[in-house]
Amino acid sequence: MGSVNPPFVVFGYGSLIFKPPPHVQSQISGFLKGYVRRFAQKSHDHRGTPEVCFTRLSFFIRGTSDRAIIAISQNPGRVVTLIHKEEWDHFSQSDAFPNEDIVWGIAYTIDPAYEAEVRDYLDYREKDGYTMEILDVYTIENGIEKVGIHDAYCYVGRPDNPSFIGSEPLEDLAQRIWASVGPSGQNKEYLYCLATAVRELAPTSYDSHLFALEERLLELDKSAREDSN
């Protein structure tokens, strides 16, 4: 008898929670150990549209002076990534991850008949700096922690990828998310959807970083409404 390939299971901790991949056969809520979830990844393609700034460069062609105008900067939004806890502690001592916080998400088992299609779909969706890693997903049964799924796949924005932005002051980050818009919609809607979804995953599902940003964005929304009246 031929060997049977293990199922393709992908763990979602960001937009995959509220916008699942196609061809899901089953799913369970679970959490990770040794990681933090942070809005530390720039989004050039989904939640941020390049904002072109221009500069003039002078140069010479065939002895005559000429000028060119080129774009030199962008205005990407911010989306979440997973970061190994020890790496995040190295980046930001002022933003220590609370011990009571746990990175909850959803592990999706994909229909084997569509594995190749879903892999291609996810590779394209997560193309802006994300790398696939393999990790264990934990669950709680009868009050006891256990590994629910071994070797689930997960897209992680590692600190050495060009879209990794690292730690930013909460106010700067909130202002950026509140103002950014991309092909997939408003950056703040991404955050609001994620916060709502995380709350619904489990009674112990809590993310102080995410919820603090949500609170600040709601304040910005309220202030904008008051200013418009």
Side-chain angles (χ1 to χ4, degrees), residues 17-18 189-201 205 210-211 214:
I17 300 177
F18 60 86
E189 291 304 321
Y190 168 97
L191 186 145
Y192 289 150
C193 288
L194 180 58
T196 299
V198 166
R199 284 191 178 92
E200 296 173 350
L201 288 176
S205 180
L210 171 62
F211 295 159
E214 178 193 37

Side-chain angles (χ1 to χ4, degrees), residues 5 45 53 77 95 99 137 158-159 163 169 218:
N5 292 329
D45 55 349
C53 295
D95 182 22
N99 290 331
V137 179
R158 294 173 180 167
S163 293
L218 289 170

Side-chain angles (χ1 to χ4, degrees), residues 46 83 92 126:
H46 288 300
I83 310 162
S92 178
E126 310 296 343

Side-chain angles (χ1 to χ4, degrees), residues 62-105:
R62 295 178 181 176
T64 62
S65 178
D66 206 345
R67 289 180 177 179
I69 300 177
I70 61 171
I72 60 171
S73 67
Q74 295 178 317
N75 186 34
R78 298 290 185 267
V79 290
V80 292
T81 184
L82 284 182
I83 310 162
H84 292 278
K85 185 181 185 306
E86 60 272 16
E87 290 182 329
W88 185 253
D89 290 343
H90 172 73
F91 282 112
S92 178
Q93 294 295 332
S94 63
D95 182 22
F97 191 68
N99 290 331
E100 65 270 19
D101 281 4
I102 297 175
V103 180
W104 279 86

Side-chain angles (χ1 to χ4, degrees), residues 21-194:
H23 306 299
V24 172
Q25 200 170 54
S26 63
Q27 65 183 64
I28 64 168
S29 297
F31 61 93
L32 307 178
K33 290 187 175 183
Y35 289 87
V36 302
R37 172 173 42 210
R38 286 291 185 269
F39 278 82
Q41 185 83 351
K42 292 184 283 188
S43 177
H44 302 88
D45 55 349
H46 288 300
R47 299 292 175 169
T49 300
E51 180 179 287
V52 181
C53 295
F54 297 98
T55 187
R56 292 179 180 271
L57 292 181
S58 297
F59 58 94
F60 292 92
I61 299 178
R62 295 178 181 176
T64 62
S65 178
D66 206 345
R67 289 180 177 179
I69 300 177
I70 61 171
I72 60 171
S73 67
Q74 295 178 317
N75 186 34
R78 298 290 185 267
V79 290
V80 292
T81 184
L82 284 182
I83 310 162
H84 292 278
K85 185 181 185 306
E86 60 272 16
E87 290 182 329
W88 185 253
D89 290 343
H90 172 73
F91 282 112
S92 178
Q93 294 295 332
S94 63
D95 182 22
F97 191 68
N99 290 331
E100 65 270 19
D101 281 4
I102 297 175
V103 180
W104 279 86
I106 298 178
Y108 299 101
T109 300
I110 304 302
D111 186 334
Y114 298 95
E115 178 178 340
E117 176 185 329
V118 174
R119 283 181 181 270
D120 289 343
Y121 164 82
L122 291 173
D123 285 345
Y124 180 80
R125 178 170 165 176
E126 310 296 343
K127 66 183 184 296
D128 193 7
Y130 287 90
T131 301
M132 187 177 283
E133 292 190 4
I134 299 175
L135 40 75
D136 291 335
V137 179
Y138 292 81
T139 58
I140 299 176
E141 291 187 10
N142 300 320
I144 300 174
E145 292 183 3
K146 58 175 289 187
V147 177
I149 295 179
H150 288 282
D151 298 336
Y153 291 90
C154 185
Y155 286 85
V156 177
R158 294 173 180 167
D160 59 354
N161 88 83
S163 293
F164 184 78
I165 193 65
S167 178
E168 297 178 283
L170 187 71
E171 181 62 24
D172 293 350
L173 185 54
Q175 292 283 350
R176 165 78 67 164
I177 294 171
W178 189 80
S180 295
V181 181
S184 295
Q186 294 178 313
N187 203 172
K188 66 179 182 179
E189 291 304 321
Y190 168 97
L191 186 145
Y192 289 150
C193 288
L194 180 58

